[in-house]
Amino acid sequence: MSILIKGGTVVTADLSYRADVYCNDGIIQAIGDNLDVPTNCEVVDAGDLLVMPGGIDPHTHMQLPFMGTVASEDFYTGTAAGCAGGTTSIIDFVIPNPQQPIMDAYHQWMEWAQKSAADYSFHVAITWWDESVYKDMGTLVQDHGVNSFKHFMAYKNAIMCEDETLINSFSRCLELGAMPTVHAENGDLVYHLQKQILEQGIRGPEGHPLSRPAEVEGEAANRAIRIAQALNVPIYCVHVSCEESLQAITRARNEGQRVYGEVLTGHLELDDSVYRNQDFEFAAAHVMSPPFRPKKHQDALWKGLQSGNLQTTATDHCCFCADQKAAGKDDFTLIPNGTAGIEDRMSIMWDAGVNSGKLTPNEFVAVTSTNAAKIFNIYPRKGSITVGADADIVLWDPSGSRTISSSTHHQNVDFNIFEGRTVKGIAVHTLSQGKLVWTNGDLRAVKGAGKYIKRPAFNSAFDAVKKQAEVHAPTAVKRG
């Protein structure tokens, strides 16, 4: 069925202008005035609404097995909640267990994702190394449209990458035209500090940020960026939470290195006081890694976003309910790490960013959608309002408001880190594949409607750095 969005103001990362938008077969077919459309076309009156590309959340964890439990949000409930907030695409993470064949893990996540209500793609984590991993990375890039690989520098004795694995995997990414991404925290140092803090008798959630100070993240970010620099490979740093890691990114970008940074809405708006709340359930609900930081870091992160040294906003959406968080009642290291946010990211970013004057509407589109599409090589199919693009569109009311609450949100979790906050700027209608999946408070998301989005390799873009790497190649690290 075709649909005409009539009378709105199109807002992209580059332009704002009045136009109608006609969609058919899941694609934007025409943009302009007085469009010739079929008589049976459904018409949505955009009125005073803004017509923007649907949000892309480049960092989610649906149905993730982690720390002895499984995230409460599956691919259907999570993507449906995203639609209610204006997000129409996610990039989730395949995370193999150490020694698990990565293709086995990829196929498992693909099976789980068949429930998705909106489009999805995957980063694949490298949690160990041998010749099979080297080979499977090639298969994922060339046959399955995976162009990014995740590296956890944290979680010692679980999924943490040692430097040798980073070097091998980063090198393979360069060969394939793929992007290495990193969770930057020094896992050895975190492990040491956790033991030290427990020995001091600190066992509640307040111990979590104490064991993961900003220096832990800053060191790891700088190390990963320097490894990438030596190997001449671009790098993407996920959930940048502190001034120290932002400084490492900014320094590298000023030197001409191709480094990208992502920031979470939670890290922009919440501080570490949440961990000192006397209510265990409240404090534990905020446990994620990296943790929320002292307020000074929020100011730095906003400036990083405004300056362009941070390019994307995400959620690290990974939900655990109170009964799951209770596993760490007597030991903060056992609290499952993760918070929600996919439904609220767009409104929080508009309210805190655009309404405050920190971001323009066009910059909002860039950091919530377009930049992610460009960085991960799915632009202009995603992240744009252009003829031929996927009809993933959000009709935004900048004057509309709602109060965020776990009692009314669509996320499958019993807590909301933004509980009670009233935001101005909301999704009124959301289109996924040209169909209305959220309209005036009515969620129409369909289980299984989402499509897997292949992301092509960056081969042509990487040619120059690959040639430079061949000239200045370091001694190869033995695989195996």
Side-chain angles (χ1 to χ4, degrees):
M1 183 175 181
S2 60
I3 190 165
L4 177 68
I5 301 168
K6 188 170 182 60
T9 300
V10 175
V11 180
T12 70
D14 304 307
L15 300 168
S16 300
Y17 58 96
R18 298 285 291 188
D20 300 339
V21 179
Y22 173 62
C23 308
N24 191 28
D25 293 330
I27 302 295
I28 297 175
Q29 303 287 352
I31 302 172
D33 297 323
N34 301 313
L35 299 177
D36 184 14
V37 300
T39 55
N40 64 344
C41 176
E42 182 177 1
V43 178
V44 177
D45 182 6
D48 295 327
L49 304 178
L50 307 180
V51 181
M52 303 188 293
I56 300 171
D57 191 335
H59 190 153
T60 65
H61 296 285
M62 307 300 178
Q63 209 166 324
L64 174 68
F66 189 54
M67 296 182 71
T69 187
V70 178
S72 60
E73 192 90 89
D74 68 20
F75 278 88
Y76 167 65
T77 60
T79 52
C83 290
T87 289
T88 54
S89 299
I90 62 169
I91 310 180
D92 206 87
F93 290 82
V94 174
I95 305 180
N97 295 318
Q99 307 308 311
Q100 180 186 14
I102 63 174
M103 290 307 302
D104 287 357
Y106 171 79
H107 290 305
Q108 178 64 80
W109 257 264
M110 283 290 288
E111 180 181 332
W112 290 336
Q114 297 307 303
K115 298 186 290 290
S116 292
D119 291 353
Y120 59 96
S121 190
F122 287 113
H123 312 281
V124 175
I126 302 302
T127 56
W128 63 293
W129 190 262
D130 73 357
E131 285 292 339
S132 72
V133 177
Y134 177 91
K135 179 182 177 181
D136 287 347
M137 287 176 71
T139 301
L140 285 166
V141 173
Q142 294 154 9
D143 298 341
H144 297 280
V146 172
N147 68 10
S148 52
F149 292 91
K150 174 72 172 289
H151 305 82
F152 290 92
M153 301 173 77
Y155 306 117
K156 184 177 176 65
N157 298 324
I159 54 177
M160 185 179 104
C161 281
E162 302 290 349
D163 283 359
E164 182 176 351
T165 298
L166 291 178
I167 294 166
N168 281 315
S169 181
F170 282 23
S171 298
R172 182 62 166 147
C173 284
L174 182 62
E175 293 174 1
L176 295 169
M179 177 85 72
T181 81
V182 293
H183 170 139
E185 288 184 295
N186 184 316
D188 289 313
L189 186 52
V190 169
Y191 185 73
H192 172 80
L193 291 172
Q194 285 177 332
K195 291 196 299 182
Q196 189 178 78
I197 290 164
L198 287 171
E199 288 168 0
Q200 293 171 2
I202 300 172
R203 310 195 71 84
E206 70 276 11
H208 180 68
L210 296 175
S211 70
R212 308 178 101 97
E215 293 81 5
V216 163
E217 182 182 337
E219 184 282 327
N222 188 67
R223 177 160 39 103
I225 289 167
R226 287 300 192 187
I227 291 172
Q229 181 183 42
L231 298 175
N232 287 289
V233 64
I235 187 172
Y236 180 95
C237 297
V238 307
H239 52 43
V240 176
S241 75
C242 65
E243 191 170 15
E244 286 81 350
S245 53
L246 175 59
Q247 288 170 344
I249 293 169
T250 303
R251 182 269 311 155
R253 289 176 62 84
N254 287 341
E255 292 177 1
Q257 190 176 349
R258 198 171 294 276
V259 181
Y260 303 102
E262 164 194 289
V263 63
L264 307 184
T265 46
H267 284 137
L268 286 167
E269 289 297 291
L270 300 175
D271 66 74
D272 63 346
S273 64
V274 295
Y275 300 114
R276 296 187 291 274
N277 193 291
Q278 295 302 303
D279 182 344
F280 171 82
E281 285 192 3
F282 180 94
H286 291 84
V287 168
M288 64 170 298
S289 296
F292 299 116
R293 303 291 189 190
K295 288 183 180 294
K296 70 168 187 172
H297 295 283
Q298 295 170 13
D299 294 336
L301 294 174
W302 273 112
K303 290 174 182 176
L305 200 61
Q306 290 173 288
S307 67
N309 287 312
L310 300 174
Q311 296 81 31
T312 64
T313 59
T315 59
D316 197 1
H317 185 85
C318 189
C319 300
F320 298 102
C321 294
D323 59 342
Q324 295 172 291
K325 294 276 189 176
K329 180 70 173 177
D330 300 313
D331 181 347
F332 69 86
T333 68
L334 302 180
I335 299 171
N337 284 208
T339 61
I342 192 169
E343 186 171 354
D344 303 314
R345 177 182 67 115
M346 301 277 280
S347 283
I348 291 288
M349 289 306 303
W350 186 276
D351 189 57
V354 178
N355 290 342
S356 69
K358 294 184 179 77
L359 300 174
T360 68
N362 306 95
E363 289 169 338
F364 168 86
V365 171
V367 302
T368 59
S369 182
T370 304
N371 288 351
K374 289 181 176 180
I375 290 169
F376 293 108
N377 212 18
I378 49 174
Y379 181 86
R381 178 180 180 181
K382 302 290 187 184
S384 73
I385 302 291
T386 53
V387 173
D390 286 358
D392 292 352
I393 300 171
V394 57
L395 276 62
W396 195 261
D397 183 356
S399 61
S401 66
R402 67 184 177 94
T403 299
I404 297 171
S405 174
S406 61
S407 65
T408 54
H409 71 201
H410 299 83
Q411 299 165 142
N412 189 33
V413 64
D414 55 7
F415 190 88
N416 195 306
I417 58 174
F418 302 113
E419 184 73 32
R421 175 167 177 165
T422 298
V423 287
K424 185 178 178 182
I426 59 172
V428 176
H429 307 284
T430 305
L431 282 75
S432 173
Q433 302 171 17
K435 299 181 178 65
L436 282 167
V437 290
W438 170 258
T439 178
N440 289 314
D442 178 18
L443 184 59
R444 302 179 181 177
V446 176
K447 183 180 291 188
K451 295 179 181 178
Y452 175 66
I453 304 300
K454 290 186 175 182
R455 294 176 291 122
F458 304 93
N459 289 328
S460 59
F462 279 28
D463 281 345
V465 291
K466 286 169 70 177
K467 289 177 182 177
Q468 184 181 1
E470 291 166 3
V471 173
H472 303 288
T475 301
V477 175
K478 183 179 178 181
R479 296 189 297 272

